[in-house]
Amino acid sequence: MKPPPFTHHACRSVEEALGLLDADPDGSKVISGGQSLVPMMNLRLASPAHLVDLNPIPGLNGIDVGRGTLTLGATARQHAVERSADVTAAAPLLTAALAHVGHPQIRNRGTVVGSICHADPAAEMPAVFLTLGGEVTAQSAAGTRSIAAEDFFDSYLTTALEPNEIATAVTFNTPNGSSGWHFEEVTRRHGDFAIIGVVALLTLADGRISDARLTIFGGAATPVRLPAVEQLLVGVAAGDVDADLLAQAAREASAALRPGDDIHASGDYRRHVAGVLTARGIRTSLERASARA
Amino acid sequence: MSETIIESHLAIRKDKWIGKPTKRVEDPRYLTGTARYVADLELPRMLHAVYVRSPHPHARILSVDTSVLPGLGKSVWVFTGQDLRDVPPLIDHVALDNLLRTPQNVIAIDKVRFVGDAVAVVVAGDRYAAEDAAEQLSAAVEYEVLPPVPSVEAANAPGAALLFDDLGTNEIYRQTEKHGDTEKAFAAADRVFTTRFHHNRYGAAPMETRGVLANYERSEQQLTVWSSTQMPHFLRSVIAGQLGLPEHRVRVIAPEVGGGFGQKMCTSPEEIAIPFIALQLGRPVKWIEDRHEHLLAATQAKEEFINLEVAVSNEGKLLGVRGEFIGDGGGYSFNTESALIEPALAAKSFPGPYRIEAFDEEVAASLTNKSPVAAYRGVGWTAANTVREIMIDEIARELGIDPVEIRRRNMLRSDELPYRSVTGQLYDSGSYLESLELAMKTVDYDAFRTMQERLREQGRYLGLGISSYVEQTAWGSDSSAQAGTPLPSHDNSTVTVDPSGTVTVAVSTSCHGQGHETSYAQIAADGLGVDMADVKVVFGDTLTSPYGLGTYASRSAVIGGATVARASADVREQILKVAANMLEANPDDLVIEDGTISVAGTPSVSKTLAEVAYAAYWDSEVRSDEPMLTSTRFYDPPATYANGCVVVLAEVDADTGVVTLDRIVAIEDCGTVINPMIVEAQVQGAIVQGIGGALFEQFVYGDDGQPLTTTYMDYLIPTSTDVPPIEVLSLESPSPFSIGGIKGMGEGGQIAAPAAVANAVADALAPFGARVRKLPLAPDYVLRLMGKIGSPNG
């Protein structure tokens, strides 16, 4: 449980970090909260020669609520985001989901951006990002680009980020006033990664569902949106969402997934409960949206 | 409850301290981080050891190429099984002729038998360098991979690979024993119920992992071994024997030990290998097990298969039982108690608090390519209690009898005790029915049933699970014989009053978190008539404590407590004798209270204990023939049996299968209580571990023999958010057999809680006909029990 030798670089600027990364993209890892990377290094599952530490860089821990957006800097701690009243007002879904990320000790150090870049398919933050939509600001020595949420997650622990790029910020789209949300996950214990989870966001316009965004996490190699379920819902009057429709949505959700077995649950379980959670997600989101409308 | 008469020769002085919930004197150092564990110890020139462990469940070691390591013999040293070939292998101590033996080399020589089996030890100047070298060496070990034997079923399949070729079989034991007339019982039965139950493999996971520091002082020819052990004296004897050293040249110190739960009772191979290496290198060598390593290489526990046939009458009376108990022993039948530790103890304890007068037991154990099974809190008893209590609930449900009522009809009444169970266990005293009734009253059973009915109509599934238990304690010669694994023993304590009048109590029953410093001080304070603050309890160092077997199997309160009481009584007499000389009075007329000796009824004629102690040592006019105020006393008690009842209230989410525990009530009867606060905490801690076994914990191995639970993200122990409020209520049925009426305790919660949780879930899901056949009750399994996905055997 001791890592192999590495060089730690306490960076003072993004440029310095980018220069180090560019010099040895494959031998370097960016570290911010370190809540996933350090255990992997201790288990010798990851052995970067260089740790490019973003923590000392001034101004990278921003929590900025804009018009319809929320932008979090790479070193903004999960705890700080969770406790921000501005975040709760703009994206209560994010606040609620953060309570399920590990334990307070982990959130004191872990970052939202880091969790998204780590891209564990059973983690909460990638699923919230995919549901809300938005973009990752990816910087490299060559310049800066934006990667949309729907293009970001490639596979298990793999994203569209290049080895020489740093995600310096993540911008979430924040929902408007007539939307409702639901976050729920099944875990063996509080704070664990999800066996299966759902993030739902429904928007109402004139009493009908104008936008539906549902994401299942823990059921595939990345968090996945459920287009079939979303199509089922868009245009439906809130009052017409009945038990039959919810059951159909649940079936569609289960049918969209081919999850595998692991020691915590079978693929059958994940498929079944993905449907259960999808129905709950729709019901609760609608209740919340209707209450605000 | 009737007062149990304790015969006078068994009486102990119980005054201001025994029975008082005094705060634990050891807690300040635990809570302020000033306690010092093996990992905290530093010696000059100390080296750090790291193990290279097998990545294969079953393989032959062909070669270990140490030449890949730069600095070999200068800054890095390697020891393989070949280097330790002269160290005798570890073998279990169980005195049964038909038990096959599986000698375990402390580092594997020819074969490895589980993932984590020791292949080599790498030693370097610091832990980082040692781990770097170990990683390099791991890649330089050549194996011939052998077919894995991942389960009991695989072990006994035709053509199965053999773990020990010379044994000719993987099944190292099978024996049938009949108690009472089961033929008659089954002939008379109205119904026969059967079950095949798989009890999960889980383990201790103490906060402190294992660790050993060894140092050989050539000038003094003295080997000192610091180990996180529960049995320092026993370990000293084993180390001396294994390494061929005179025992008086070996000193074992168990410094602060951060939990053991039975896992640190057996001799770990590392406890022999590390001292050997320190002797070879002539420098101190420290090995601290890391948590990943702990999940691979430390002993595991509790896995067994129990197949039952239960003969009952239509009224729910248990007439007779046939039980097969099959242990999954892992790669070696581990030293001290062998692979029978689970199945044999389960079989003998099966009747529990019930009147079962006919019982056939068949006990078997097989080797598999998994980490060896050894002791863990509630050894064997957990599995037996789990399957018995689940079965009783199922029988009640089938016969339409209330689960409380069926227990009432079969339970032994306190006025029937002492009672010898059909398996030969002599229950001394207890409150089996009273515990059940008190638990039901506390949870307001009838109100719960009404609420359960109402909420079920709303689609909410609440359940209540009962688990009654008898806990065998006072593990000395008698108790171990009654358990079916005879191991003669005795333990000792020395009580000494020094010239200033303060008291040192040296005990052989070592402590690893149980609060012995407090409990023993309470007994000594009452025994001597002094303030608890004037008593210091020492243990865990073979140089300063008298010989004994240490702490395991709920033995310390009974055995250690009695030795302290007896030695204190002796010293009290010595004090009174000197005081009588000083006060010119008859010793029989003197009393000691709050550290002052006075003539009864005439408090003005008095001396302080400090004055008397000073005189005892320094004043040749008044001192005794043997001036030292000290006594060493032994005890080897008759078996005592604690008892109780755990009730769990739970709710099941019928859509996700998630089980939420709402409330737990535990009744504990451990005879005379020394410190109620410690008893309560022991019950709570044990229940938490039982919750782990019921809902979360299982060492999972793939069909290829690879362990799949190698971090605490996969091996799930309950955290504070998973544990509901636990109310502990006490009943007190002193033992008529033991000194002071004290019984052991501390395992009952772990013995009883899994069944209480399982029964709560089965009760909640009664409309679905759920029958629990294995643990843990993960959400996936719960949905299977309800028929919502797949099959329960999936």
Side-chain angles (χ1 to χ4, degrees), chain A residues 1-5 43-44 186 188-190 192-193 195 263-266 268-269 272-273 276-277 280, chain B residues 127-128 131-132 135 290 653 655-656 658 695-696 709 712-714 716-717 721-722 779-780 783-784 789:
Chain A
M1 295 289 268
K2 303 287 182 205
L43 288 164
R44 297 187 177 230
V186 174
R188 297 284 299 277
R189 303 172 304 177
H190 180 78
D192 286 347
F193 282 99
I195 293 173
I263 60 165
H264 297 306
S266 63
D268 285 349
Y269 177 88
H272 177 84
V273 177
V276 169
L277 297 184
R280 288 184 185 177
Chain B
R127 178 80 189 213
Y128 288 88
E131 289 202 20
D132 291 345
E135 189 180 21
D290 71 35
D653 182 329
D655 294 321
T656 63
V658 171
L695 294 180
F696 304 111
T709 39
Y712 286 91
M713 285 171 68
D714 288 324
L716 309 177
I717 49 180
T721 50
D722 307 303
D780 187 291
L783 286 196
R784 283 169 199 278
I789 56 169

Side-chain angles (χ1 to χ4, degrees), chain A:
Chain A
M1 295 289 268
K2 303 287 182 205
F6 61 87
T7 305
H8 176 254
H9 303 274
C11 299
R12 297 286 160 189
S13 68
V14 172
E15 291 67 32
E16 182 188 353
L18 291 172
L20 287 162
L21 211 51
D22 217 40
D24 185 6
D26 295 325
S28 303
K29 279 299 269 186
V30 173
I31 185 165
S32 179
Q35 296 302 291
S36 298
L37 178 59
V38 172
M40 288 172 78
M41 290 170 64
N42 284 341
L43 288 164
R44 297 187 177 230
L45 298 171
S47 46
H50 300 278
L51 271 191
V52 179
D53 189 348
L54 306 183
N55 286 291
I57 300 175
L60 214 53
N61 62 345
I63 300 174
D64 301 309
V65 177
R67 284 175 60 87
T69 62
L70 164 67
T71 300
L72 303 177
T75 58
R77 308 289 174 203
Q78 288 156 351
H79 173 82
V81 179
E82 185 186 2
R83 290 299 179 93
S84 159
D86 292 344
V87 169
T88 304
L93 163 59
L94 177 59
T95 308
L98 274 165
H100 296 269
V101 177
H103 301 279
Q105 295 90 328
I106 290 170
R107 300 199 291 275
N108 280 342
R109 192 74 193 160
T111 65
V112 173
V113 174
S115 177
I116 288 170
C117 292
H118 185 58
D120 190 306
E124 294 82 4
M125 290 300 104
V128 169
F129 180 46
L130 191 60
T131 307
L132 289 173
E135 59 192 35
V136 172
T137 303
Q139 292 192 42
S140 70
T144 301
R145 64 173 179 139
S146 293
I147 309 171
E150 53 269 33
D151 300 326
F152 189 68
F153 301 105
D154 283 350
S155 183
Y156 185 77
L157 305 186
T158 311
T159 69
L161 276 180
E162 297 295 333
N164 67 341
E165 283 182 316
I166 296 174
T168 50
V170 169
T171 299
F172 296 84
N173 299 329
T174 53
N176 70 27
S178 54
S179 65
W181 57 273
H182 183 65
F183 176 93
E184 186 172 354
E185 63 180 12
V186 174
T187 56
R188 297 284 299 277
R189 303 172 304 177
H190 180 78
D192 286 347
F193 282 99
I195 293 173
I196 191 85
V198 70
V199 187
L201 182 69
L202 298 183
T203 308
L204 290 180
D206 303 327
R208 290 183 181 276
I209 299 171
S210 60
D211 188 26
R213 303 172 73 89
L214 285 109
T215 302
I216 293 289
F217 58 107
T222 65
V224 288
R225 292 273 298 274
L226 298 172
V229 177
E230 293 170 357
Q231 280 163 28
L232 203 60
L233 296 171
V234 171
V236 176
D240 291 343
V241 178
D242 57 7
D244 285 346
L245 186 67
L246 290 175
Q248 198 186 341
R251 281 195 301 275
E252 293 284 0
S254 296
L257 299 170
R258 293 281 178 280
D261 300 342
D262 66 25
I263 60 165
H264 297 306
S266 63
D268 285 349
Y269 177 88
R270 290 185 163 90
R271 279 159 59 97
H272 177 84
V273 177
V276 169
L277 297 184
T278 297
R280 288 184 185 177
I282 296 167
R283 203 168 50 226
T284 307
S285 298
L286 267 185
E287 283 167 14
R288 282 203 167 104
S290 303
R292 297 179 72 186

Side-chain angles (χ1 to χ4, degrees), chain B residues 455-654:
Chain B
L455 291 177
R456 217 171 251 178
E457 286 163 15
Q458 300 170 17
R460 289 181 59 187
Y461 294 89
L462 275 65
L464 181 147
I466 304 165
S467 178
S468 294
Y469 64 94
V470 169
E471 176 189 353
Q472 188 183 6
T473 72
W475 200 269
S477 305
D478 184 35
S479 194
S480 62
Q482 288 190 24
T485 50
L487 179 65
S489 67
H490 74 275
D491 281 72
N492 300 277
S493 291
T494 302
V495 171
T496 305
V497 173
D498 56 49
S500 72
T502 58
V503 185
T504 300
V505 176
V507 298
S508 63
T509 45
S510 198
C511 183
H512 31 286
Q514 297 92 334
H516 290 178
E517 285 166 71
T518 308
S519 301
Y520 291 152
Q522 289 177 267
I523 292 172
D526 271 356
L528 291 166
V530 301
D531 192 281
M532 244 186 86
D534 289 331
V535 182
K536 178 171 171 58
V537 177
V538 300
F539 52 83
D541 183 343
T542 58
L543 207 61
T544 55
S545 287
Y547 200 89
L549 273 196
T551 292
Y552 58 93
S554 299
R555 66 200 305 274
S556 288
V558 192
I559 306 179
T563 57
V564 172
R566 294 185 72 194
S568 298
D570 288 350
V571 175
R572 179 189 176 86
E573 278 187 30
Q574 295 164 5
I575 291 165
L576 292 180
K577 208 169 150 190
V578 177
N581 288 342
M582 295 170 76
L583 295 169
E584 296 177 343
N586 187 325
D588 296 340
D589 296 335
L590 297 181
V591 293
I592 311 182
E593 200 174 346
D594 296 336
T596 301
I597 299 98
S598 61
V599 176
T602 317
S604 57
V605 184
S606 69
K607 292 281 178 192
T608 65
L609 177 58
E611 289 169 327
V612 176
Y614 184 87
Y617 282 88
W618 295 111
D619 185 345
S620 55
E621 296 295 316
V622 297
R623 76 182 181 202
S624 303
D625 297 344
E626 291 290 345
M628 269 191 71
L629 301 174
T630 188
S631 171
T632 299
R633 284 289 199 149
F634 96 104
Y635 194 42
D636 182 13
T640 65
Y641 290 81
N643 72 273
C645 181
V646 174
V647 177
V648 167
L649 280 72
E651 180 167 1
V652 180
D653 182 329

